């Protein structure tokens, strides 16, 4: 939402006769509304599944727009040191196996931090969310038990925890709940000034989310990008890669009913993929690799405008 609302406002400034209405409702709602054609376009941090694409009334294009990070945020009054987690430890917290902040597994990773015996309150999304998918996709790759018991999707049955609606809701709940740990997009941690932890990547390095770390995670994906752009870059290889990273996609019908709106949306996408990328960094997102943009410009030719 932060980058899309910025883009739509900027595009409106350049084209005063065009207003693009976008609401932050979670990826699940975006996919549902696009499928039922109650909206002209959708947005998602989770690519649509094969069965969802089959259920749609026509072929849908996935167009990556920027890259983002999902971060483990926490609220520990009196703890000023920066925390570190491994993926398997985060999975054990979410599974309800690690329940206290001074659990030996957390203490071992953070020997220089004095951790309280406070109970951990896990805060998850209550709505269908691509942020949830990215978080769970990562945990499923690093923890076989998490994969088996919870799995990766936009809506999940969590073993423990409390729910908040939207990134905003989770950020608000973590801010208000001492002892809590949740997951949000990086920009929500930065805007709300919530502490977030470094996570160990596939190379063994502990990496705090940054634009550079997300760009490093995307480096391999750019070379092996599938033609339909549906790709996962969690737990990416590379010394500096941040492990909980993802593309985010705008979803468009290849043969939309309203050709006038289609022409506007294709023009907007061309602007977002070029000039619009300059706004990514200021909002905590990483710009797309050039190879991906080139592929998308070709893919946009598939949208029928006549």
């Amino acid at each position: 939402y932060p980058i899309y609302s910025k883009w739509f406002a900027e595009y409106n400034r350049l084209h005063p006769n065009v207003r693009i209405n976008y609401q932050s409702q979670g990826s699940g709602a975006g996919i549902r509304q696009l499928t039922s054609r109650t909206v002209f376009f959708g947005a998602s941090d989770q690519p649509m599944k094969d069965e969802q694409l089959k259920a749609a009334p026509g072929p849908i294009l996935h167009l990556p727009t920027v890259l983002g990070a999902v971060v483990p945020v926490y609220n520990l009054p009196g703890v000023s040191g920066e925390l570190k987690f491994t993926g398997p430890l985060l999975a054990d917290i979410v599974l309800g196996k690690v329940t206290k902040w001074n659990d030996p597994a957390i203490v071992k990773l953070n020997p220089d931090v004095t951790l309280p015996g406070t109970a951990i309150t896990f805060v998850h999304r209550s709505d269908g969310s691509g942020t949830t998918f990215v978080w769970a996709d990562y945990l499923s790759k690093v923890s076989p038990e998490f994969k088996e018991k919870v799995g990766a999707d936009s809506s999940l049955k969590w073993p423990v925890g409390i729910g908040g609606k939207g990134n905003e809701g989770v950020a608000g709940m973590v801010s208000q709940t001492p002892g809590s740990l949740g997951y949000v997009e990086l920009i929500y941690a930065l805007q709300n000034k919530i502490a977030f932890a470094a996570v160990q990547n596939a190379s063994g390095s502990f990496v705090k989310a940054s634009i550079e770390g997300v760009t490093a995670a995307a480096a391999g994906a750019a070379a092996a990008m599938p033609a339909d752009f549906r790709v996962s870059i969690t737990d990416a290889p590379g010394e500096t890669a941040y492990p909980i990273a993802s593309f985010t996609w705008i979803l468009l019908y290849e043969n939309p009913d309203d050709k006038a709106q289609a022409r506007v949306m294709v023009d907007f996408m061309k602007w977002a993929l070029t000039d619009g990328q300059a706004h990514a960094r200021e909002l905590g997102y990483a710009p797309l690799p050039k190879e991906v943009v080139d592929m998308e410009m070709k893919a946009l030719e598939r949208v029928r405008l006549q």
Side-chain angles (χ1 to χ4, degrees):
Y1 178 75
I3 185 74
Y4 291 158
S5 55
K6 171 74 174 172
W7 275 350
F8 294 141
E10 281 297 312
Y11 191 78
N12 174 245
R13 206 172 55 75
L14 298 168
H15 305 271
N17 58 327
V18 175
R19 295 179 79 90
I20 302 175
N21 176 26
Y22 175 76
Q23 278 144 17
S24 165
Q25 297 184 336
S27 301
I31 289 169
R32 274 196 310 278
Q33 291 176 6
L34 185 72
T35 304
S36 62
R37 288 203 140 149
T38 53
V39 294
F40 187 77
F41 70 97
S44 179
D45 293 345
Q46 174 183 10
M48 290 174 72
K49 298 177 196 160
D50 290 348
E51 58 267 31
Q52 289 175 319
L53 287 170
K54 282 194 186 88
I60 290 173
L61 271 181
H62 282 67
L63 296 162
T65 50
V66 286
L67 292 134
V70 175
V71 296
V73 286
Y74 58 91
N75 178 350
L76 271 182
V79 172
S80 56
E82 217 161 76
L83 294 186
K84 293 177 183 165
F85 290 108
T86 63
L89 174 55
L90 287 171
D92 284 348
I93 292 170
V94 176
L95 289 165
K97 293 168 71 177
V98 171
T99 59
K100 294 273 201 298
W101 278 104
N102 63 353
D103 184 286
I106 304 178
V107 171
K108 187 180 171 192
L109 282 179
N110 299 278
D112 302 331
V113 183
T114 306
L115 291 157
T118 317
I120 300 172
T121 302
F122 174 56
V123 184
H124 55 76
R125 288 284 285 268
S126 59
D127 53 329
S129 147
T131 311
T132 291
F133 169 75
V134 175
W135 172 255
D137 180 51
Y138 168 65
L139 295 182
S140 293
K141 287 181 183 178
V142 296
S143 164
E145 187 181 354
F146 183 91
K147 184 177 184 179
E148 184 198 332
K149 291 187 174 168
V150 184
D153 210 338
S154 56
S155 291
L156 295 166
K157 282 186 94 131
W158 298 102
V160 297
I162 55 175
K165 190 171 188 318
N167 276 292
E168 307 88 339
V170 173
M173 234 164 204
V174 170
S175 296
Q176 291 158 25
T177 312
S180 59
L181 173 124
Y183 58 92
V184 294
E185 275 191 38
L186 173 60
I187 182 66
Y188 291 88
L190 297 172
Q191 283 179 346
N192 293 284
K193 299 186 169 54
I194 311 173
F196 59 98
V199 183
Q200 190 176 40
N201 68 14
S203 301
S205 308
F206 285 91
V207 181
K208 207 164 175 209
S210 67
I211 289 159
E212 291 68 33
V214 173
T215 301
M225 177 63 81
D228 65 3
F229 301 102
R230 292 187 297 157
V231 69
S232 162
I233 58 165
T234 54
D235 202 31
E239 192 68 30
T240 58
Y242 178 70
I244 322 177
S246 174
F247 287 97
T248 182
W249 293 266
I250 276 193
L251 311 171
L252 279 179
Y253 280 104
E254 285 188 21
N255 188 16
D257 291 338
D258 189 324
K259 303 303 184 192
Q261 283 192 8
R263 286 192 286 276
V264 168
M265 219 38 217
V266 165
D267 187 71
F268 165 77
M269 282 306 306
K270 287 177 177 174
W271 174 85
L273 293 171
T274 50
D275 297 357
Q277 294 292 302
H279 297 288
R281 286 176 179 277
E282 71 199 60
L283 292 167
Y285 298 95
L288 295 170
K290 184 184 180 303
E291 307 91 311
V292 176
V293 172
D294 291 346
M295 282 177 72
E296 289 187 71
M297 288 298 196
K298 279 204 167 61
L300 279 167
E301 292 170 11
R302 302 216 299 267
V303 180
R304 288 166 66 177
L305 305 178
Q306 300 295 334

